[in-house]
Amino acid sequence: QVQLVESGGGLVQPGGSLRLSCAASGSILSINSMGWFRQAPGGERELVAATAGGTTNYADSVKGRFTISRDNAKNTVYLQMNSLKPEDTAVYYCNARIRNHNWITNTYWGQGTQVTVSS
C-alpha cells in the first residue's frame, strides 16, 4: 500500500508565494517520477510540473515562476510557487509512479490541496 500526503495549500494574494509538499509512504521499492497536476473549477486536470531521472518539465504557464524539487531520501516532492496569479487558483494534486516491493509499478495520486490566489 502506497500513500501520497500533500500539504502547503492555502489562500495567498496575487504576487505571493506558496510551497507545496507531497510525501510518499508505504511499500516503496523505487519512485520513477513525481509531479504536480492541477484542476480549476470546470476545467480539466493538467500537468503543472514533473521530475524524473533528474530531468524536469513545466507547463508553459508556470515556467519561470514555479520550481519542482525532490528529496529522494524523504520520498518527497516540492513545488515552490512564486509570483502567483489568480489563474493559478486550483486544486493541486501530487502524482507519482512508484514500484512496490512486489515489483509492480502503479500511478498514485494525492488527495489534493486547494490553492487560492485572490486579493
Side-chain angles (χ1 to χ4, degrees):
Q1 193 78 348
V2 172
Q3 285 187 319
L4 301 181
V5 178
E6 302 151 349
S7 61
L11 173 64
V12 64
Q13 292 187 343
S17 298
L18 281 175
R19 187 191 193 209
L20 305 183
S21 300
C22 171
S25 63
S27 177
I28 298 172
L29 183 62
S30 62
I31 300 178
N32 297 345
S33 65
M34 300 189 83
W36 293 92
F37 287 70
R38 68 186 180 187
Q39 187 166 17
E44 295 184 354
R45 193 172 295 190
E46 62 176 4
L47 174 69
V48 177
T51 178
T55 64
T56 59
N57 63 288
Y58 297 91
D60 288 342
S61 59
V62 307
K63 283 181 181 177
R65 300 188 298 122
F66 290 12
T67 303
I68 189 170
S69 61
R70 184 171 155 181
D71 186 332
N72 292 327
K74 296 181 179 180
N75 290 335
T76 299
V77 64
Y78 305 96
L79 185 67
Q80 178 66 44
M81 304 185 293
N82 298 329
S83 302
L84 282 161
K85 305 175 181 180
E87 50 264 42
D88 294 317
T89 295
V91 178
Y92 284 69
Y93 295 92
C94 178
N95 166 280
R97 289 278 294 169
I98 295 174
R99 177 173 292 171
N100 64 24
H101 287 98
N102 293 320
W103 289 83
I104 296 171
T105 300
N106 285 317
T107 298
Y108 297 90
W109 292 92
Q111 79 281 4
T113 185
Q114 177 70 46
V115 171
T116 302
V117 184
S118 175
S119 55

